[in-house]
């Protein structure tokens, strides 16, 4: 049904209870109805190139959902309900308005307390099956950890649950900070694309990614500092493809000799 001008989610579809694949890409849809949870057998849902700003909480009831495409919408706040879609392996949120992957609610506890939460409002309990996460062209400023000085640790906690993640794409954002959420627990992560951001330093934990084979860090602000040398010394031999074009490197580090 892609490429039609429905203007809204066609209610007739909600009666197709055996439906497994639904493509409503580029249909001028502004809202998804709460009754989407009637499609219990839905495995693939494509809502790309619409005008969505949110998803209903009932999406969490789509227990069979494996692929979700939300690229080129207007989503600004990450859909918490996705963390409860326990079988979802591919989440595409490219070309939205995300400023953070995980939501931190301040002041929701007692006075002076912070209550940290992620997509599901309690913890990233369902992220463990995600193998592909595409965050291209959003407004993210940090990834894998909160900004320096913040007491919030929800991003590190969330990344610790991404144990099946294999492909991470977050190019064309404004990422300046990479946190310690990157590490050995991401044992299957083989491809990272962080091109065209504002990264000036790599966390040492970047060197602990055992499966990493492809790394694109082009068009950032990296220099040959101690962290850079440490990371390259650790992962140099395992990389098959490394893109460092258009950074601030003034020399080829000696650690490259081990690659």
């Amino acid at each position: 049904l892609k490429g039609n001008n429905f203007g809204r989610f066609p209610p007739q579809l909600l009666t197709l209870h055996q439906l497994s694949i639904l493509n409503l890409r580029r249909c001028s849809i502004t809202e998804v109805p709460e009754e989407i949870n009637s499609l219990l057998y839905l495995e693939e849902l494509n809502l790309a190139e619409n005008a969505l700003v949110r998803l209903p909480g009932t999406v969490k009831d789509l227990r069979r959902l494996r692929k979700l495409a939300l690229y080129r919408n207007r989503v600004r706040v990450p859909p918490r309900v996705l963390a409860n879609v326990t079988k979802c392996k591919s989440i595409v949120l490219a070309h939205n308005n995300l400023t953070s992957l995980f939501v931190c609610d301040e002041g929701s506890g007692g006075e002076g307390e912070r209550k940290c939460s992620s997509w599901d409002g309690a913890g990233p309990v369902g992220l463990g099956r995600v193998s592909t996460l595409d965050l291209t062209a959003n407004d993210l400023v940090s990834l894998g950890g909160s900004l320096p000085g913040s007491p919030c640790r929800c991003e590190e906690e969330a990344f610790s649950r991404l144990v099946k993640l294999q492909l991470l794409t977050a190019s064309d954002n404004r990422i300046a900070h990479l946190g310690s959420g990157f590490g050995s627990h991401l044992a299957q992560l083989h491809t990272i694309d962080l091109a065209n951001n504002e990264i000036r330093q790599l966390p040492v934990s970047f060197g602990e990614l055992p499966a990493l084979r492809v790394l694109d860090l082009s068009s950032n602000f990296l220099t040959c500092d101690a962290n850079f040398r440490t990371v390259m010394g650790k992962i140099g031999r395992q990389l098959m493809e490394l893109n460092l074009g258009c950074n601030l490197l003034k020399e080829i580090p000696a650690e490259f000799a081990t690659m």
Side-chain angles (χ1 to χ4, degrees), residues 96-113:
N96 277 281
N97 300 315
L98 293 175
T99 56
S100 175
L101 257 188
F102 305 97
V103 178
C104 182
D105 299 324
E106 298 188 44
S108 50
E111 185 177 353
E113 290 187 21

Side-chain angles (χ1 to χ4, degrees), residues 112-130:
E113 290 187 21
R114 297 171 62 94
K115 178 183 177 183
C116 294
S117 58
S118 62
W119 284 336
D120 66 344
V125 295
L127 298 179
R129 300 255 183 130
V130 175

